[in-house]
Amino acid sequence: MIKEDILRHEHVINVKNLGKSFNTGMVFHDINFHIQQQQRIALIGENGSGKTTLLKILAGIIKPTEGSVFFNAIDMHNMNLRKPFFGISIDESMLDNRLTVIDNLNLYCQLMNYPQYSIDISNLMQQFQVTHVKNIQLSVLSKGIQQRISLIRALLNQTKQNLLILDEPSKNLDVKSKKILMEKVLQNTDSTLIVATHDVENIYKWASHIYELKHGNVYIRKV
Amino acid sequence: MKKLIILLKKDIQLAWLDKSAWLSAIAFGTISIIFYNLTIDLFVLEVDIILPGLLWITFLFCSILISSNSFTHELDNGIIDGMKIANVPITLIAISKTLVNYFFILSIQSTLLLIVILFFNIQIESYYMLIYLAFMTLGFTSLLTCLAPLSYQEQSGTMLTYIIVIPLLIPLILTATRVTFGVIGTMEVENHWIFLGVLFSLWQTTVSIILFQFIIEE
């Protein structure tokens, strides 16, 4: 239902006069852009340019200092509004290290009211080759495996997702996992995709637009 | 309601797995009571007069041990952000954590009360007043739990939290101490003490849970 609503809107994400400052200084200022349904955005920029901060603001995780983000006309930073459903994988795993892999994924699906999640979890675990660690506590697993679990969490319930946000998804992944990730991402043609990456060489294989964060501004170009 | 039950199950499981908090609280409480027994009992004939105050100070520090790290893991790994994305209301996270901490703090208080009865040879004169004390503990727990993220966010957060929290808890500790006098039969407790205690508890529980979302958002 949400997806049908979104298709009626030309712009899925509207960013207006967005700015963010920390105690250390300004990250970006007066950013304006919009993202349309099914666009595949590669967000690039040097270390510290504010890619992760921008993604977190777009997802409604942190508040901007100025401006606003609208996701299909819903203000992402209004605490009282129900946010649209989207998948996300950022630097923080959003998973509880004290729980097992399967408990973490089950918990997330239960909280999302996602029906019949077991099949989806089991398929994704097989594809990312992590079935053998499903009953192991997350804290004892390697960074690479933890990254795969974080990606599985982001890719769950893809049919319902309107947006997929990934922050350097290939970090810590081996070649095979990178390939699986790419296949999964390309399969899902309905969702809007925003990926922050340093892998500039491969951007042209999947991205429709490149957004470059430079000196506190966003420079947009079509691929 | 369904989401609250899911969160409660998770929080109980994690609190049980993370034994360090409640085991250190029990150890601290037991050692304190033994210490009181070895020192004060020898010099003060009517220990009943100072025991409730000492007991509530012990309960306060046991509760701090249990609740101070309530959200450390959640904030470290962005779990609360994950829950926000899954449209879990922030107040539900606060309610679940408060209820789980309340269960553990109440269990520890009951255990310590039994130890006090054994060591000081006192008797419970009024069992129904224990219900009021349990209710006052809820206000106590909710404030300590919901303000715990402050200690994570600020550089000198732990100190700041206790500078804010302990003065806020003084009215509740005072009324709880008064009611405890009634529980062990040292003196009659006027109704206004019970009324004040219940009112403070209700007020602190409500305000803490409302404040929690603003603390997390900031």
Side-chain angles (χ1 to χ4, degrees):
Chain A
M1 186 65 192
I2 295 170
K3 201 160 243 179
E4 284 166 14
D5 288 344
I6 284 170
L7 286 170
R8 278 186 231 125
H9 289 77
E10 196 186 347
H11 302 145
V12 178
I13 296 174
N14 260 310
V15 172
K16 288 179 184 170
N17 312 110
L18 198 70
K20 181 71 189 172
S21 306
F22 291 110
N23 296 337
T24 46
M26 189 191 74
V27 185
F28 43 75
H29 170 65
D30 201 23
I31 287 179
N32 289 282
F33 62 84
H34 54 256
I35 297 171
Q36 292 174 0
Q37 176 72 14
Q38 296 173 339
Q39 278 189 350
R40 293 161 175 272
I41 312 295
L43 183 63
I44 58 168
E46 290 173 1
N47 289 333
S49 58
K51 298 188 295 294
T52 303
T53 306
L54 180 60
L55 290 186
K56 283 184 178 178
I57 291 174
L58 292 181
I61 292 172
I62 57 172
K63 276 183 179 176
T65 315
E66 57 192 48
S68 48
V69 176
F70 289 91
F71 187 106
N72 189 30
I74 295 169
D75 184 350
M76 288 301 277
H77 298 96
N78 186 333
M79 282 195 288
N80 302 318
L81 293 178
R82 193 179 165 81
K83 308 283 187 306
F85 179 76
F86 58 94
I88 182 165
S89 170
I90 51 170
D91 51 350
E92 291 151 337
S93 67
M94 295 184 180
L95 299 165
D96 201 310
N97 281 338
R98 298 163 293 175
L99 292 174
T100 62
V101 170
I102 194 76
D103 283 347
N104 262 302
L105 297 173
N106 283 343
L107 175 74
Y108 187 69
C109 292
Q110 285 166 0
L111 288 173
M112 287 192 308
N113 289 326
Y114 175 22
Q116 296 164 330
Y117 53 85
S118 328
I119 302 160
D120 206 359
I121 290 177
S122 129
N123 285 341
L124 280 166
M125 285 183 93
Q126 266 177 9
Q127 284 168 342
F128 278 95
Q129 297 173 319
V130 287
T131 313
H132 63 290
V133 296
K134 73 173 183 180
N135 292 317
I136 296 175
Q137 206 178 327
L138 208 69
S139 59
V140 297
L141 298 172
S142 70
K143 287 276 176 206
I145 303 277
Q146 285 189 20
Q147 174 71 357
R148 287 192 225 174
I149 310 298
S150 174
L151 286 168
I152 290 174
R153 191 189 56 79
L155 293 168
L156 278 167
N157 206 1
Q158 271 194 305
T159 49
K160 213 175 144 189
Q161 282 179 2
N162 307 304
L163 173 68
L164 185 59
I165 295 175
L166 305 174
D167 186 11
E168 295 183 46
S170 52
K171 190 175 74 179
N172 298 322
L173 290 185
D174 54 31
V175 180
K176 201 170 181 181
S177 300
K178 277 183 193 171
K179 202 180 156 197
I180 298 162
L181 172 69
M182 223 53 245
E183 281 169 8
K184 291 299 297 178
V185 166
L186 292 172
Q187 255 174 30
N188 188 0
T189 50
D190 290 340
S191 290
T192 308
L193 177 71
I194 306 173
V195 183
T197 182
H198 287 290
D199 188 11
V200 183
E201 287 169 19
N202 288 315
I203 284 174
Y204 300 93
K205 292 179 186 168
W206 59 267
S208 64
H209 293 76
I210 296 173
Y211 283 43
E212 187 175 7
L213 259 174
K214 207 173 179 182
H215 311 305
N217 285 308
V218 175
Y219 300 92
I220 302 168
R221 59 180 188 267
K222 217 172 170 184
V223 174
Chain B
M1 195 63 191
K2 195 182 159 195
K3 285 188 179 180
L4 180 62
I5 293 166
I6 295 165
L7 287 177
L8 272 172
K9 272 188 199 168
K10 187 249 325 173
D11 285 333
I12 290 171
Q13 187 190 350
L14 289 175
W16 184 251
L17 284 173
D18 186 16
K19 293 178 177 62
S20 62
W22 55 268
L23 278 179
S24 54
I26 288 185
F28 169 76
T30 312
I31 290 165
S32 302
I33 291 164
I34 293 170
F35 182 76
Y36 301 150
N37 186 255
L38 290 174
T39 53
I40 302 158
D41 203 16
L42 292 171
F43 306 109
V44 183
L45 289 173
E46 287 186 64
V47 74
D48 297 11
I49 295 167
I50 53 165
L51 199 58
L54 287 176
L55 202 57
W56 276 96
I57 293 296
T58 312
F59 287 165
L60 171 67
F61 284 100
C62 286
S63 308
I64 287 173
L65 281 173
I66 289 183
S67 58
S68 60
N69 291 324
S70 295
F71 295 98
T72 311
H73 284 282
E74 278 82 354
L75 292 165
D76 270 345
N77 300 321
I79 297 164
I80 292 183
D81 296 332
M83 286 184 187
K84 276 200 270 183
I85 287 163
N87 278 313
V88 177
I90 300 284
T91 39
L92 276 194
I93 301 170
I95 292 170
S96 166
K97 229 16 152 196
T98 302
L99 287 177
V100 172
N101 280 349
Y102 179 57
F103 170 75
F104 277 93
I105 289 171
L106 213 56
S107 309
I108 286 166
Q109 284 182 349
S110 311
T111 313
L112 294 180
L113 195 64
L114 283 175
I115 297 171
V116 165
I117 291 169
L118 278 173
F119 274 76
F120 289 92
N121 197 27
I122 54 163
Q123 282 183 334
I124 305 283
E125 299 290 339
S126 172
Y127 282 95
Y128 80 93
M129 280 201 190
L130 288 174
I131 298 166
Y132 295 123
L133 286 182
F135 192 74
M136 288 173 202
T137 304
L138 181 63
F140 198 74
T141 311
S142 56
L143 195 74
L144 285 170
T145 306
C146 294
L147 266 62
L150 276 179
S151 64
Y152 181 88
Q153 286 167 341
E154 298 294 330
Q155 268 183 338
S156 54
T158 310
M159 201 175 71
L160 187 80
T161 308
Y162 300 126
I163 289 171
I164 296 169
V165 172
I166 294 176
L168 287 174
L169 284 173
I170 287 173
L172 207 55
I173 292 175
L174 279 177
T175 48
T177 306
R178 278 282 173 170
V179 176
T180 310
F181 279 126
V183 171
I184 60 173
T186 314
M187 59 172 85
E188 284 286 313
V189 180
E190 294 97 339
N191 280 341
H192 67 263
W193 284 111
I194 297 171
F195 175 74
L196 271 177
V198 171
L199 197 72
F200 278 135
S201 181
L202 208 63
W203 160 255
Q204 286 188 341
T205 308
T206 316
V207 170
S208 311
I209 288 168
I210 294 169
L211 270 181
F212 180 76
Q213 64 175 326
F214 296 103
I215 294 170
I216 290 294
E217 289 294 328
E218 287 308 311

